[in-house]
Amino acid sequence: NDQQRIITNLPFIVLVEGLDGSGKSTLVKRLADSLEGGVAMATPTESLSSIRPIMDKRGGPVARAFYMVSNYILQHEIERTHADVVLVDRWYTSTCAYSVAWRNTSGDGTSLDQLPDSIFRWPRDLRKPNLFFILELDDHVRKERVHSRAHSPAYNPWDGRLDEDACLGHRIQKALHRVQGPHEKITLNANQTAHQVFKDALQIVKQRLHRHRRPADYFSRDPMSYFTWTASQQGLCSFSTGKRSRHQQWSMQLAIPNCHTPPSIRSVGVCLANKFGIVFYTTSDSPGGAAVEKNDDNCSLASMLSLGGHYPSEYQWRAEGFIMPVSTLEQKILGTHPPLSLISNSLVSRNTTNCDAGAVGDTDDQLNDHRPSRPSDYWKDAKAYRSREDGPLDPAVVFGWRFIPLRMEVLVGGPSSPEGPQRWEWTRSEKGEEEEWRVVRGILPFSPPGLRLKHSFRTKMRPITLALTGTHCAGKATIGKKVAEILGWNFDPELGDVLRGENRAVGGHADGYDTADKITSWDDYIYEQENLRDRRAVTSSSRIVETWHLGNCGWATLRNGGKIDFDGSDTNAVRAREAIEQHTETHTVLMVHLSVSVDDSVRRRHNDARNTERLPLKNEEDDCRVMHDAVDVVVRKLLGTVSVAKIIVDNSEDGDAAMEAVSLKLVKFVLQNYWRCGM
């Protein structure tokens, strides 16, 4: 048993923090009693309980030193315990937060927000908790609990200090949230009953224990989250956001076929890993960087190898997929930026500064302090930069890329692991399937005989057509142009609006407009021209198209009296579905329906004269209602009859903030479905 404990590392550690009176000790004890193999501990430990009052009385540096040493004594006791789960009441987080918050009252004018992240960083030689609970409660509730124990042994000097300084508790809570180190941080509402807080915490702990002990089972349908989780356990990134947590090289290589340079890219540029893929950065003179920048296509096939973990439970990740450029605007909106080392090397190459990676540091705050005032000087869109005609690539320019896996596998452990070597494999679902990934397949220790997975990966990635539908004034053009700018794609406006030119007859939308030959009906003409535009898009890059075939079908339904047969006999509906199906042979089709009400359309027409000029109506409310019934209700039903990835997004709010929020939803929808380009 002792040998197995050494192999399986230390127990799962749950840390509980909060102000005095928040219920930490009660929660820790109840969790320890309810979890098999659980044990409760606290800082300071029981072995130091007799001298704690002496240190508290001395106060100042002596007390702080005592509590700092107590953190390491607790770690020593955790290493000696035979428990599977250790519940800790206070640890280094309290030492840090209480010291910083108390010292912050000295009147030097420094606020917690101004303190650097390095002050709140968990010590490297102290074991990091797997799960960190912060109990938060209203101040009047906390005071009632504290006053009820004023003459009991549980009372301590901090109870009085918190009463004397109304802002001290707020500063402590704020400092607790800023502590960096625990693998996962969760806030619990301690205003609830002690039993309800316990139930909430127990449910979370059991779920996290399942993930910790059987990660392949927990992430059986989401290998990218499994990959991100393994990286977060090494302190490389945050599991919740996927963003790199500090400047550290990932042990990862990316191989790209058909290039003249060594096909590997060092992982120093990795800055984000989440379910959408892995975002990394390269420069022209980085290992393998030129191979990516000189690739003529927007996408390129690639394979990935990543190593991590600790003996004997180390892991190896392998994946095949493709890489594609990430626009700088998309990177900024998603909050990613090139790592410090690449920026420093770029600046040194340009001789614009003597910035040194080691001298600057490794935090985002330090990075921002030394970033040039014009990021575009060194941080560019790969697609646009490759297409210029002003000479060779600048070795100081940094590009962003995304690796999107289509197949993944992980090998965990080896012969000396308690369960032996284990290996699992995932593949993307076939085109049109609801599940993004097929269920995990266990390969080791025993391989099912004759089990083969058919891979249908493409050698050339398909571009994306993102179609936006919605009634008049749903925001298709506004949102479409914004998302196209973010992704660096083309935008195709509503074809009916383009082809009718200057014809702005009042109520003309209800009957259609004249065509070039004066013979073909308006709806037939729109259908022919939309197909022609689709064929032209075969040779172009990804695009966003407004209204498209389903939207055109909605307008045709309006002109036909609002009647449509969804079972398949309606000519407009049949040919719209056929056109979309044909387009999926060359493009990955995604559809977004922007939903607004009749009142929203009327309001936006009233607030923006351009809408009334573009589409004059006879009766505002009546015509908007008729358009809504045909172009919104009908298109919603038609969406259910096409086999493509689709979402419905509420776009009823006005203003820049609402537009940014909806645009970000669409960008995330695209990221979630990029993998379909390779199927």
Side-chain angles (χ1 to χ4, degrees), residues 120-132:
F120 301 91
R121 193 170 299 150
W122 195 273
R124 293 186 178 181
D125 55 351
L126 196 63
R127 172 90 188 278
K128 296 177 181 178
N130 301 89
L131 184 58
F132 173 28

Side-chain angles (χ1 to χ4, degrees), residues 468-479 546 593-597 600-601 604 611 614 628 631-632 649-654 662:
L468 302 184
T469 60
T471 188
H472 179 54
C473 290
K476 301 183 295 297
T478 304
I479 297 296
E546 179 187 2
H593 184 75
L594 298 176
S595 176
V596 296
S597 67
D600 294 329
S601 297
R604 288 174 178 174
N611 291 321
R614 186 164 60 92
H628 183 273
V631 186
D632 188 272
V649 178
D650 178 28
N651 192 34
S652 57
E653 298 294 328
D654 296 334
V662 173

Side-chain angles (χ1 to χ4, degrees), residues 237-490:
C237 68
S238 163
F239 176 65
S240 59
T241 66
K243 294 181 181 178
R244 61 186 178 88
S245 54
R246 66 177 187 270
H247 180 70
Q248 177 173 318
Q249 181 171 328
W250 292 34
S251 179
M252 192 185 84
Q253 286 188 327
L254 215 63
I256 306 164
N258 303 323
C259 58
H260 302 292
T261 58
S264 64
I265 299 175
R266 293 182 62 189
S267 56
V268 67
V270 174
C271 76
L272 179 69
N274 56 24
K275 62 182 180 180
F276 304 136
I278 300 170
V279 175
F280 63 95
Y281 293 88
T282 65
T283 57
S284 303
D285 58 350
S286 65
V292 184
E293 278 95 33
K294 293 180 180 178
N295 183 16
D296 294 332
D297 299 325
N298 291 331
C299 301
S300 175
L301 293 174
S303 60
M304 179 268 285
L305 169 65
S306 179
L307 308 176
H310 301 289
Y311 176 83
S313 299
E314 67 275 15
Y315 57 82
Q316 296 181 24
W317 280 96
R318 296 180 183 272
E320 289 82 42
F322 60 94
I323 59 172
M324 61 192 311
V326 183
S327 72
T328 54
L329 185 55
E330 178 190 339
Q331 295 165 42
K332 292 171 184 176
I333 288 178
L334 296 179
T336 64
H337 51 71
L340 180 61
S341 61
L342 286 181
I343 296 175
S344 300
N345 291 337
S346 298
L347 297 177
V348 171
S349 298
R350 288 178 175 272
N351 293 319
T352 57
T353 180
N354 292 324
C355 176
D356 175 73
V360 173
D362 61 359
T363 67
D364 288 343
D365 291 339
Q366 292 165 319
L367 172 61
N368 290 326
D369 291 342
H370 292 267
R371 183 174 294 173
S373 59
R374 294 169 57 198
S376 58
D377 283 348
Y378 65 89
W379 187 11
K380 296 184 180 296
D381 288 332
K383 179 181 175 183
Y385 194 69
R386 282 201 312 267
S387 63
R388 80 207 193 297
E389 299 178 355
D390 57 353
L393 295 173
D394 186 338
V397 175
V398 178
F399 301 110
W401 303 89
R402 177 180 286 107
F403 172 68
I404 301 173
L406 299 177
R407 187 196 73 86
M408 298 186 72
E409 69 175 66
V410 61
L411 173 64
V412 181
S416 57
S417 301
E419 299 179 1
Q422 300 178 67
R423 180 173 169 230
W424 296 277
E425 181 186 47
W426 296 260
T427 57
R428 294 281 190 180
S429 300
E430 294 294 337
K431 175 184 172 184
E433 293 184 19
E434 289 295 326
E435 292 290 344
E436 184 175 343
W437 289 94
R438 289 181 177 176
V439 180
V440 61
R441 177 172 78 116
I443 302 176
L444 287 176
F446 301 104
S447 300
L451 179 58
R452 300 282 184 185
L453 288 179
K454 178 182 178 182
H455 301 300
S456 56
F457 307 155
R458 292 174 172 266
T459 57
K460 185 177 178 63
M461 303 302 111
R462 295 181 301 174
I464 292 177
T465 289
L466 174 63
L468 302 184
T469 60
T471 188
H472 179 54
C473 290
K476 301 183 295 297
T478 304
I479 297 296
K481 291 176 182 177
K482 179 65 176 178
V483 176
E485 180 187 11
I486 293 173
L487 298 175
W489 292 1
N490 299 324

Side-chain angles (χ1 to χ4, degrees), residues 23 119 188 196 201 222 289 325 377 406 419 503 653:
I119 290 180
L188 293 177
Q196 187 59 51
D222 191 359
D377 283 348
L406 299 177
E419 299 179 1
N503 192 342
E653 298 294 328

